[in-house]
């Protein structure tokens, strides 16, 4: 028997759970975990089911298709634990990349990483240690279109399903953001929506906050405004400098990004307008 | 239309969700929220559904009864927001009682409190402010059986569904524990299983821990061993005395107990052997 | 022997600690606790000492005065545990007032409250339960100057040292803010600087944040921009409505405000420009 | 000018701060940070000062020596940022070692690691990536004395000041524990004193706790009873298996251990009997 994750969303109305459960029963599924959510603000219904079955993915798909059509569902079936093909973009700072690669190796993150891209060479050794091809793609205002074209080539060539900006420090073009909509995760080094833009730790220090944080969100053309997947915070006090905020923040950034990537790769994150539903 | 909470548990096997969803559909229910859990260690299945319907509770019950019988379910239906009749036991310290009564008044806690019992008179004024009859029942080793008999009389007389030990500081007899099984919540002023027994903050201080906490659990005959509903912690440092632990702990105790009572009163807590399933 | 708290600030330069410690030794003080901080951004030095001595406050003051003058210090001596005369302003919501009054009664907050002011009558019963005179001072755009005049009369009449806005929901005039500079604490129901202004929980819900919070800060004419004393957060998920944020937030607001008031009343908070130094 | 950390402890009595501050002034020191603590339970006084001066370490030492003698102090002077020579012991699990080495490379941890020891070969590649000699020292009940002798040889040969057990999974002999007293840090994968001994995550799961944690402590002959330096916790729910606890716990263990090592290496941790004073 194999385990599958079914995720779906559709306009909310009575009978969805019954219809889905019926189709799963028909496909000889035993439901291991199931979560639903009806969003009052958008009127959408969301569901994530983990089911174990002797059916193949094709058989399960056939059983669910009529239900999906009847309710106008967006839906997906994925084998549990199947690794999500992931491209990681970095720049100079290694902490987020290090966390992702380590957790990928230990199996905490169900991702495989066929390529790492950076506009600097600093991360090359780390990529090499994990046996992952490193692509140095420098970016200047003039070469940005070509750099993004190379990125898209890599994405297509490697069948990339998820792009992770691990402190990439480059703003993607609107076109690329649109292309990667719902399939690219960024880490912002502040507790959004506080301190958008550059040098958020220095902004936070100047404002005298007592807690700092990090935010993992889907990338959208509207910078720092994408749907939030996960946030984490740590306490600071008056004696910490902005530079210490930067240092302390690394750990939080790494954790927050890795957690968001894990949930995405486990098909736990669904988009509800500008917000996310996270079935964790 | 009315909203109901259905909670159920039974041995896990395929088809439960489909059967329950079918019965709910038959009773014209729209599912607002649904959570399931299959426990690998005990083989039990647990479910909590909030559904809105034009059916009466009796009609809903009739629709679910055959399903419940077929799967050997323990089950309950409760109208959403219906207040749970709650008896609070206190002693001298007011902080837990104060939190419970305040949150009951503001509506955060869906409980009604027809009686407060204490073995000291210190809490009488607080009970009076909230307009709740105060019963002074002193307890000595000799009078304990009579005191517990009075407690049971109050429980029966007022149709009490939940008993809360808000720093009651008295050990209940095995008989009473059995009688109140799954229907009595205690707050222990440590992060269990650390520091069972008396003066846990002083034990914690002597051990030099850096974090202290509180634990809300169902009362069982085996003291401090009941199924845990909720735990909370706060950070402490070397400069705090055991007395300051006591003071800082009050806030955590009050929150932890109130949270556990809220979840219980919203029918979110189900017993899975010595552990709890909390659908929050 | 009596215990005193000495707090002081001055431009940083060598020899301050030695000079202060010398004066304390001269006044037969045993230092129980001492904290210092030199602020790199403002160049100011801050110190808080708790000392036990057989000297009187006047003798201690005489010993310290020459040092204070030599270094150009702003300084204060207060007996440890002496209650700070506090005026609380409320509106309709009781949770912050309830926490403050309860903790004042148990002794956690070293304040005494000679008067409670509100622009609504909802909190009158709570004030009465704690035996504190309640002043109903309604505020309309037209009557605001008179209302603030009455406030100032109360402040003077009762020798008020600290004013606490416990969800007061009224903006103070620039004049009053200036008058109360460093002596008035407000609770804002968001994790500032996120979600300034009205309905922060609804703003937070719309943005889809995963953590909400509260901020206690000194009142300044520049609304929601005052120096932050304390912040606290709690985790939320997609299934919580904005109304549930409001409900969950009450507990955090109460705790955050009470914590800030405690630290202020224990003379642990010093102003360093737009930031606070908190010796906790 | 150079910065030094002075740490000291002695029986508490009046005049210590004044005497120390005087000696520092004599040595032309500017105090950048200073923390004190008088322990009511042991009667000991603790102090940590960071000072900047044009004096040499020898000059500073000469100025402090008479004070240290007069008060019977245990004391140390260390240049700020001077790296502590650290030996790391591992076994098979890489997460703690990975965190320590990464943070050592980025400079967050002021340690240098001349050798890594393990009783398995799994961590050899990671050691190599960071360019650190890896010593494979297998341990069986029979060879334990020889293995510990090799450890001690390495400690002496490399002038090791701190030994870190990064999930080493071997109990050190009483003799070695005594030898390394106050100079060896272990990470226990539970929130001590809960769940001492083997398989703490499985114990925690069986008990149904809602929060799990990790504890970094000094190694003593009395297993899991050493003075606690740091603890961290994370929330879990009923749906997590014991195996998931293990996985989730890795992150907490790594952070907790790295934090404890950082504080130790910054000379922020002082022993007060069975407890620690942490000036952070």
């Amino acid at each position: 028997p194999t385990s599958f994750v079914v995720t779906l969303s559709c306009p909310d109305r009575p009978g969805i759970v019954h219809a889905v459960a019926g189709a799963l029963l028909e496909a000889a599924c035993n439901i291991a975990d199931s979560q639903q959510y009806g969003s009052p603000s958008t009127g959408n219904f969301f569901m994530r089911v983990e089911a174990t079955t002797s059916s193949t993915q094709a058989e399960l798909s056939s059983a669910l298709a009529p239900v999906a059509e009847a309710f106008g569902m967006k839906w997906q079936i994925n084998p549990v634990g199947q690794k999500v093909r992931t491209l990681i973009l970095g720049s100079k700072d290694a902490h987020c990349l290090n966390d992702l690669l380590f957790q990928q190796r230990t199996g905490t993150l169900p991702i495989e990483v066929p390529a790492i891209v950076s506009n600097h060479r600093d991360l090359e050794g780390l990529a090499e240690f994990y046996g992952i091809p490193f692509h140095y793609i420098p970016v200047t205002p003039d070469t940005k279109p070509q750099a993004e074209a190379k990125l898209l080539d890599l994405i297509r060539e490697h069948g990339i399903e998820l792009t992770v900006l691990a402190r990439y420090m480059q703003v993607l073009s609107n076109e690329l953001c649109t292309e990667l909509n719902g399939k690219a995760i960024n880490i912002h080094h502040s507790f959004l929506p506080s301190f958008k833009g550059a040098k958020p730790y220095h902004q936070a220090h100047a404002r005298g906050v007592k807690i700092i944080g990090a935010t993992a969100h889907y990338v959208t053309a509207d910078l720092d405004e994408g749907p939030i997947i996960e946030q984490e915070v740590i306490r600071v006090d008056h004696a910490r400098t902005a530079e210490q905020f930067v240092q302390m923040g690394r750990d939080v950034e790494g954790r927050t990004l890795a957690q968001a990537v894990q949930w995405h790769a486990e098909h736990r994150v669904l988009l509800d307008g500008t917000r996310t539903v996270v079935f964790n």
Side-chain angles (χ1 to χ4, degrees), chain A residues 194-211:
Chain A
S194 289
F195 313 124
K196 298 176 195 174
K199 293 210 161 242
Y201 291 122
H202 290 76
Q203 292 182 52
H205 191 267
R207 181 60 186 94
V209 296
K210 300 302 184 186
I211 290 174

